[in-house]
Amino acid sequence: MGDHPHHDDEHDRPLSGPALRAKALESLLTEKGLVDARALDELIDTYETKIGPRNGARIVARAWTDPAYKARLLADATAAIAEFGFIGRQGEDMVVLENTPKVRNVVVCTLCSCYPWPVLGLPPVWYKSAPYRARAVIDPRGVLKELGSEPAPDVEVRVWDSTAELRYLVLPERPAGTEGWSEEQLAEIVTRDAMIGVAQVRR
Amino acid sequence: MNGAHDLGGMHGFGPVEIEKNEPVFHSRWEARTFALNLASGFHGKWNIDMGRYAREQMPAADYLATTYYEHWLFGLEKLLVDQGLVSAKELQASRPEAKADAARAMHVADVAPFLRNRRAARLDVEVPPRFKAGEPVVTRNLHPVGHTRLPRYARGRHGVIHRDHGVFIFADTHAMSRDRKPQHCYSVRFGARELWGPGAAACDSVFVDLWDDHLDPA
């Protein structure tokens, strides 16, 4: 490892470091009969094409347009999210946090990278990286300011550190000027970052 | 353990940089490492808390100098050897000495049911809660060399029980000895000033999910 020549062109670069180790490990596990390469393909395809933040956006849009659904979502998020069929790994026990004009919720996992897979898919690099995990708890206002959504001084910021097996989804505020929009139109404007709590939804 | 993974409250890592239109995986090896972790976990030789603990044992300087899926690769290699699915010699040589005993690999048809798992750490057992919502608590000042989900920044701090989540597997013992030690897990609210001093906004707070064994009455 680390002995390979360094090429400028990414595509010409021979496998080195983790890429080489991952390939060697896959061959070993396949030859031992411990993994099946087609199952690996299926796992990857699921998170690349089927499970992602569009799921969460549908939940948010429904909550914005259906008060009874919103009440169920806030009372028992796991059951209300399961109404859409969004269940499973890393979303077994869900909690939804409602933003209001006076409260902003921000979700982090300081110890690793816990994230609600069934509704948001796999976490982005920034969520898993040291700057966010270090700063979200000590300086949430600084992080939100840098990311362009600084809360006013009288807005309460609540940071949720996902240290157990509860998984959190932020219900962002519905932006003004979207009265009369359909659920599908609303789902279009809901972003992943708004459902983590580091952005607000804009029309 | 007071490892490099316990990042909450540290300075010096720079700004949070969000990549526009980020792909789910940035390279093939990341995708394969992710999938290898899940497919290896299918054998049931370790639990999720052992998985986290394995990644935490990456040497601290390496942990901070590497990416997320490098942590996953390190953790997987460690678990495979520690739990006997692969020998150290096989891993070193990347060559099998023997087929795995009676192992049945995850097949394509297993993937969807595996991912639609609905039972994680919540347990259907009756354990009396030690605390109720609204009660003041103080976290224990614990520094175990093993796994813990009580982050350093929240040790020895005063908070209030916000919500009782119910009975859960206790991650700290589950990672070390597979002991589930069923107990209540709570959302505990800490004032930002209790954690970070007078420079923090008076109205802000941090909520941490903690178990009975992390807490004492205040």
Side-chain angles (χ1 to χ4, degrees):
Chain A
M1 202 166 84
D3 297 325
H4 298 276
H6 213 72
H7 294 282
D8 290 323
D9 184 350
E10 172 104 19
H11 303 288
D12 283 348
R13 193 178 299 168
L15 289 181
S16 66
L20 194 63
R21 267 169 65 208
K23 191 169 199 279
L25 188 60
E26 182 176 340
S27 318
L28 175 63
L29 295 179
T30 307
E31 285 178 52
K32 278 186 76 73
L34 289 167
V35 304
D36 171 349
R38 287 163 303 174
L40 303 181
D41 296 340
E42 180 71 12
L43 285 161
I44 293 164
D45 181 65
T46 302
Y47 288 100
E48 280 191 326
T49 66
K50 298 187 182 101
I51 302 179
R54 292 301 92 211
N55 289 2
R58 288 180 61 198
I59 301 287
V60 169
R62 175 71 54 87
W64 282 347
T65 52
D66 180 345
Y69 182 75
K70 180 177 159 186
R72 292 202 298 283
L73 186 65
L74 295 176
D76 183 349
T78 311
I81 290 169
E83 291 177 30
F84 283 77
F86 305 150
I87 58 166
R89 214 151 276 271
Q90 290 299 307
E92 294 93 341
D93 291 282
M94 291 292 305
V95 176
V96 167
L97 309 164
E98 184 185 17
N99 280 356
T100 71
K102 290 292 168 206
V103 175
R104 289 277 299 275
N105 293 286
V106 178
V107 180
V108 64
C109 174
T110 61
L111 296 174
C112 44
S113 55
C114 298
Y115 192 74
W117 294 4
V119 285
L120 295 185
L122 300 182
V125 167
W126 65 264
Y127 181 88
K128 303 178 288 195
S129 298
Y132 185 69
R133 287 164 55 189
R135 291 179 60 207
V137 283
I138 190 172
D139 184 24
R141 288 174 184 271
V143 171
L144 293 172
K145 184 180 180 182
E146 275 176 23
L147 298 178
S149 72
E150 186 183 16
D154 65 334
V155 170
E156 184 186 332
V157 177
R158 298 179 182 173
V159 180
W160 301 79
D161 193 354
S162 315
T163 47
E165 293 301 330
L166 289 305
R167 294 292 170 267
Y168 293 94
L169 181 75
V170 173
L171 174 58
E173 281 187 88
R174 180 172 174 169
T178 58
E179 297 77 13
W181 285 29
S182 71
E183 209 176 300
E184 292 69 28
Q185 284 175 295
L186 289 167
E188 286 290 315
I189 60 171
V190 178
T191 64
R192 174 197 72 199
D193 296 350
M195 292 182 282
I196 300 171
V198 299
Q200 288 180 293
V201 179
R202 314 231 176 262
R203 58 163 289 193
Chain B
M1 60 186 287
N2 293 344
H5 68 284
D6 187 357
L7 289 164
M10 288 184 73
H11 290 133
F13 291 113
V16 177
E17 287 172 0
I18 297 184
E19 179 184 343
K20 294 269 181 238
N21 302 315
E22 180 176 339
V24 174
F25 301 106
H26 287 75
S27 59
R28 180 178 158 83
W29 76 265
E30 289 191 349
R32 300 313 273 185
T33 297
F34 168 77
L36 284 170
N37 263 273
L38 268 62
S40 300
F42 181 77
H43 293 285
K45 297 285 188 188
W46 54 82
N47 61 55
I48 191 167
D49 300 303
M50 293 164 74
R52 292 198 180 103
Y53 182 48
R55 295 193 280 276
E56 290 166 11
Q57 290 176 81
M58 188 173 201
D62 295 345
Y63 186 97
L64 293 175
T66 51
T67 62
Y68 180 73
Y69 285 112
E70 288 175 272
H71 304 165
W72 275 47
L73 188 55
F74 173 90
L76 178 57
E77 289 175 345
K78 179 166 177 53
L79 287 166
L80 287 165
V81 174
D82 289 355
Q83 302 307 321
L85 283 178
V86 162
S87 73
K89 202 171 153 194
E90 286 176 320
L91 183 65
Q92 178 85 35
S94 300
R95 197 169 302 118
E97 294 180 306
K99 275 264 188 191
D101 298 332
R104 186 175 89 63
M106 175 192 269
H107 295 154
V108 172
D110 298 317
V111 170
F114 178 78
L115 296 181
R116 292 179 73 77
N117 168 58
R118 299 183 78 165
R119 299 294 302 173
R122 186 184 290 283
L123 297 172
D124 279 328
V125 292
E126 288 284 325
V127 179
R130 287 182 59 225
F131 305 99
K132 289 198 292 286
E135 278 190 78
V137 291
V138 60
T139 51
R140 293 179 179 168
N141 185 18
L142 304 169
H143 295 266
V145 292
H147 184 69
T148 182
R149 297 300 284 180
L150 172 57
R152 254 176 294 181
Y153 75 82
R155 295 177 190 165
R157 301 293 182 172
H158 286 78
V160 173
I161 302 288
H162 168 68
R163 171 177 178 163
D164 181 352
H165 293 303
V167 177
F168 280 75
I169 291 171
F170 183 42
D172 296 21
T173 50
H174 201 221
M176 306 307 294
S177 62
R178 302 174 198 261
D179 181 359
R180 296 179 160 213
K181 212 174 179 196
Q183 56 190 278
H184 282 254
C185 178
Y186 311 87
S187 173
V188 184
R189 180 180 192 152
F190 299 91
R193 287 190 172 171
E194 166 69 8
L195 300 176
W196 313 113
C203 63
D204 293 353
S205 43
V206 178
F207 294 74
V208 185
D209 288 327
L210 299 171
W211 285 258
D212 274 317
D213 278 8
H214 293 141
L215 304 169
D216 283 315

